[in-house]
Amino acid sequence: MQRLLAVLLVLIGLIGLVLGRLGETTWAPETETTATATLEDPGPAVVIDPGVLYVGGEEGEVVIEGASDVSVITASNSDIDAYLEGVHHTRVTGASDWSTLSTEDVEPDGAAEISDPTGSDLWRSVDTSASPYTLDIGEFWAAENGENEQVYRSLLIVTDGTAAGADKISITWPVDEENEWVPYAYAGGAAIAVIGLVLLVVSIGRRNDEDEDELLEEPQEARSSEARTSLATGGAAAGAAAGGLSEDRDGSDTDADADADGSDAPRVEDPLDAPGTREVGEQSVWSFGDRADDAGTGADGTASDAGSDGGSPDADPSGDDADQERR
């Protein structure tokens, strides 16, 4: 039972660890968010207002897609407004939510073309690259807040001055979010798994001790059983030997008697034939006569017989004749 409980605890702990890992990977929330603006008729220029790049933080990336090479120009917002006066253009003003950029269509009836958009002396920097153009927000922030500060800069996006300034603009910011239950899943799973492992080790050790005790008891029981078997075998052998010896002795005695009589019939001995038996019998008879003589003697030592007391006429006064006859 203890081992089963230990295994269950280990399995539960492993499940907790797996859930924690899934919460960090498969079930983890998005690590970044992207706000996008798709421009259908933006005009020959698109402007990103100052601060829009930092809506989601000081880290991220801007991706600009255009029909041809894309030029990104930095300048103050006032200089850009002066340059684009009377020209149809689109402004990116912020993010309506974490997936959509807010845009504003400016002067839709204005000019649809601009000449030499990258050659003005109003620009702080001009960078041209093939579409899609990528801008690192962290680097842009460092340029605005470094030693050569260029704060509050707007971004002017153009192509060749006749085509649309941009077809699509996307800004991606990293998101520092995670499932709040992941640390608890890791901690709980690890603790339960450790408890289960400890119980499993203890149960295995206890089982090994029991096995050793059984191995130690089995030889003792085997020796006791062997000893009892040996005693029983020895007793049976001794009894058989004793029975055989008795049979041999009886058989030899019987054979001797049979040989002495000359016949196979058993010999019946006369009890009086035993040595000393007749002598004892004779002594008893003589002793009986003596006791009779003693009975006929009075207290004064004179002989008195039954005939004198009973008045029998045939009694011998001396008693010698009776004794002689008995003898």
Side-chain angles (χ1 to χ4, degrees), residues 170-297:
S170 299
I171 303 178
T172 301
W173 297 283
V175 177
D176 188 15
E177 291 184 3
E178 62 181 11
N179 292 321
E180 297 180 355
W181 52 267
V182 169
Y184 299 100
Y186 275 128
I192 294 173
V194 169
I195 294 173
L197 289 174
V198 171
L199 289 178
L200 185 61
V201 171
V202 171
S203 63
I204 292 174
R206 183 175 298 175
R207 180 61 180 174
N208 292 335
D209 293 340
E210 293 177 356
D211 292 341
E212 291 179 359
D213 294 339
E214 292 178 358
L215 291 175
L216 292 176
E217 290 176 357
E218 287 179 358
Q220 294 179 357
E221 294 178 355
R223 287 196 295 269
S224 300
S225 177
E226 291 177 358
R228 289 193 296 269
T229 304
S230 299
L231 290 174
T233 305
L245 181 59
S246 175
E247 291 177 358
D248 293 341
R249 185 171 60 247
D250 294 340
S252 60
D253 292 341
T254 304
D255 293 342
D257 294 338
D259 293 339
D261 296 339
S263 64
D264 294 336
R267 178 182 178 182
V268 179
E269 296 182 356
D270 187 357
L272 296 179
D273 292 340
T277 303
R278 293 186 176 276
E279 296 178 359
V280 172
E282 294 177 356
Q283 291 178 1
S284 299
V285 173
W286 287 104
S287 297
F288 178 77
D290 293 339
R291 284 194 300 270
D293 293 340
D294 293 339
T297 305

Side-chain angles (χ1 to χ4, degrees), residues 3-307:
R3 183 175 296 182
L4 178 60
L5 177 61
V7 173
L8 290 177
L9 290 177
V10 172
L11 291 178
I12 293 173
L14 292 177
I15 291 173
L17 295 176
V18 171
L19 291 176
R21 183 56 182 169
L22 291 175
E24 286 185 337
T25 56
T26 304
W27 298 338
E30 295 294 334
T31 59
E32 58 186 23
T33 183
T34 301
T36 304
T38 301
L39 307 174
E40 295 181 357
D41 184 16
V46 176
V47 178
I48 299 177
D49 288 346
V52 174
L53 299 183
Y54 309 134
V55 170
E58 299 171 355
E59 298 290 336
E61 185 178 70
V62 181
V63 177
I64 303 168
E65 297 179 9
S68 59
D69 292 346
V70 176
S71 297
V72 177
I73 301 169
T74 62
S76 66
N77 198 37
S78 59
D79 291 340
I80 291 176
D81 288 343
Y83 180 77
L84 294 177
E85 186 176 357
V87 177
H88 178 209
H89 63 280
T90 300
R91 302 185 73 93
V92 179
T93 58
S96 58
D97 54 47
W98 290 111
S99 62
T100 306
L101 293 174
S102 300
T103 62
E104 181 184 355
D105 191 12
V106 180
E107 297 188 20
D109 296 331
E113 295 182 2
I114 53 177
S115 60
D116 193 15
T118 61
S120 175
D121 57 359
L122 298 175
W123 313 142
R124 297 181 183 179
S125 66
V126 177
D127 187 18
T128 302
S129 176
S131 178
Y133 180 95
T134 302
L135 173 67
D136 188 271
I137 297 175
E139 293 179 358
F140 190 82
W141 182 88
E144 287 197 320
N145 297 274
E147 295 181 357
N148 300 319
E149 292 184 357
Q150 300 183 35
V151 295
Y152 202 70
R153 291 184 296 170
S154 296
L155 291 176
L156 175 60
I157 302 169
V158 296
T159 54
D160 57 1
T162 59
D167 295 332
K168 183 178 180 179
I169 297 176
S170 299
I171 303 178
T172 301
W173 297 283
V175 177
D176 188 15
E177 291 184 3
E178 62 181 11
N179 292 321
E180 297 180 355
W181 52 267
V182 169
Y184 299 100
Y186 275 128
I192 294 173
V194 169
I195 294 173
L197 289 174
V198 171
L199 289 178
L200 185 61
V201 171
V202 171
S203 63
I204 292 174
R206 183 175 298 175
R207 180 61 180 174
N208 292 335
D209 293 340
E210 293 177 356
D211 292 341
E212 291 179 359
D213 294 339
E214 292 178 358
L215 291 175
L216 292 176
E217 290 176 357
E218 287 179 358
Q220 294 179 357
E221 294 178 355
R223 287 196 295 269
S224 300
S225 177
E226 291 177 358
R228 289 193 296 269
T229 304
S230 299
L231 290 174
T233 305
L245 181 59
S246 175
E247 291 177 358
D248 293 341
R249 185 171 60 247
D250 294 340
S252 60
D253 292 341
T254 304
D255 293 342
D257 294 338
D259 293 339
D261 296 339
S263 64
D264 294 336
R267 178 182 178 182
V268 179
E269 296 182 356
D270 187 357
L272 296 179
D273 292 340
T277 303
R278 293 186 176 276
E279 296 178 359
V280 172
E282 294 177 356
Q283 291 178 1
S284 299
V285 173
W286 287 104
S287 297
F288 178 77
D290 293 339
R291 284 194 300 270
D293 293 340
D294 293 339
T297 305
D300 56 355
T302 60
S304 61
D305 52 11

